[in-house]
Amino acid sequence: MSQKVLLSSKEIHIILHRLACQLIENHLDFKNTVLIGIQPRGVHLAERLSKILAEDYNVNDVNLGYLDITFFRDDFRRGEKPLEANKTNINFLVENKKVVFIDDVLYTGRSIRAALTAIQSFGRPAEIELLTLIDRRFSRHLPIQPDYRGRQVDAINQEKVKVLWKENDGEDVVYLINN
Ligand SMILES: O=P(O)(O)OC[C@H]1O[C@H](OP(=O)(O)OP(=O)(O)O)[C@H](O)[C@@H]1O
Ligand SMILES: O=c1cc[nH]c(=O)[nH]1
């Protein structure tokens, strides 16, 4: 196995601040906007952005929820292992709200396709946008693209992009892993 650093902690810090500013540019006071972190790993990114919005840009009380997509995936009956769902926690209405899905990596687009179905149980949003830290180029199976992207990355199929977060994994770093 070999691994290469795609983004260092310093680069991640800069990108997160840029993404927060882009969100502010489009959503101003976030009155009609809700942020939804896709479980499991989009949640760390969503929490980070929410913290940056509050602490560095004085945008407080932004609605932040977590959405589990396990049973909405098109391959959920195909695996050999029993599935373990994560927690969905959305304690506000999404009806008529501008929803921003937040995930760490966009690859085939199938997770976001599942999220589009899963969110329907919570109402009919006015619109849905997608923010992703890593956008893997040329790998989409579905017509899904990010509205906000941290970094576009070229990776071949056998490679995997892994995003690690300080609070969960001990450090902020993005690796390209070749097994
Ligand atoms: O665009 P997609 O192809 O759906 O891939 C993106 C998803 O993959 C990762 O999750 P996870 O590690 O749970 O999924 P994986 O096992 O498919 O890599 C990542 O956190 C995204 O949610
Ligand atoms: O490279 C990839 C592809 C899917 N999911 C990831 O987390 N990384």
Side-chain angles (χ1 to χ4, degrees):
M1 189 192 86
S2 67
Q3 64 182 35
K4 175 178 133 191
V5 173
L6 286 180
L7 293 178
S8 65
S9 152
K10 190 168 175 196
E11 287 169 312
I12 292 171
H13 177 87
I14 293 166
I15 287 171
L16 293 188
H17 279 75
R18 192 231 318 142
L19 290 170
C21 288
Q22 288 177 325
L23 284 173
I24 295 169
E25 195 178 5
N26 285 350
H27 294 273
L28 301 172
D29 59 7
F30 290 71
K31 269 209 166 49
N32 287 312
T33 299
V34 304
L35 305 181
I36 300 286
I38 308 300
Q39 286 277 25
R41 304 194 69 88
V43 165
H44 305 297
L45 175 55
E47 284 176 348
R48 275 300 181 86
L49 286 169
S50 156
K51 192 160 178 266
I52 291 171
L53 287 170
E55 289 179 1
D56 296 337
Y57 299 101
N58 209 20
V59 182
N60 295 293
D61 304 321
V62 179
N63 278 318
L64 170 63
Y66 310 138
L67 182 64
D68 183 69
I69 58 165
T70 308
F71 297 109
F72 296 89
R73 297 188 63 96
D74 55 10
D75 56 1
F76 87 96
R77 287 199 189 92
R78 295 176 166 215
E80 280 156 17
K81 287 189 292 185
L83 291 173
E84 261 185 60
N86 291 286
K87 202 170 170 186
T88 286
N89 186 5
I90 300 178
N91 59 8
F92 45 78
L93 295 176
V94 303
E95 185 77 20
N96 284 328
K97 291 285 195 293
K98 296 179 178 180
V99 170
V100 185
F101 281 162
I102 298 180
D103 208 354
D104 60 343
V105 178
L106 177 63
Y107 178 44
T108 62
R110 287 174 189 270
S111 300
I112 298 305
R113 205 278 318 141
L116 289 167
T117 306
I119 198 72
Q120 287 178 355
S121 313
F122 295 88
R124 182 178 185 269
E127 62 175 50
I128 301 179
E129 293 183 324
L130 173 61
L131 180 153
T132 184
L133 180 63
I134 301 293
D135 171 16
R136 281 187 63 162
R137 207 175 359 200
F138 309 131
S139 56
R140 221 71 83 232
H141 294 176
L142 298 166
I144 288 171
Q145 308 302 337
D147 298 285
Y148 312 89
R149 74 159 65 80
R151 180 66 63 83
Q152 206 164 37
V153 162
D154 287 322
I156 52 175
N157 275 345
Q158 83 223 32
E159 290 172 328
K160 172 132 187 160
V161 177
K162 188 93 193 144
V163 179
L164 304 185
W165 299 104
K166 198 163 46 192
E167 52 274 35
N168 197 57
D169 312 294
E171 61 172 341
D172 290 343
V173 62
V174 180
Y175 288 115
L176 179 65
I177 297 174
N178 196 330
N179 288 307

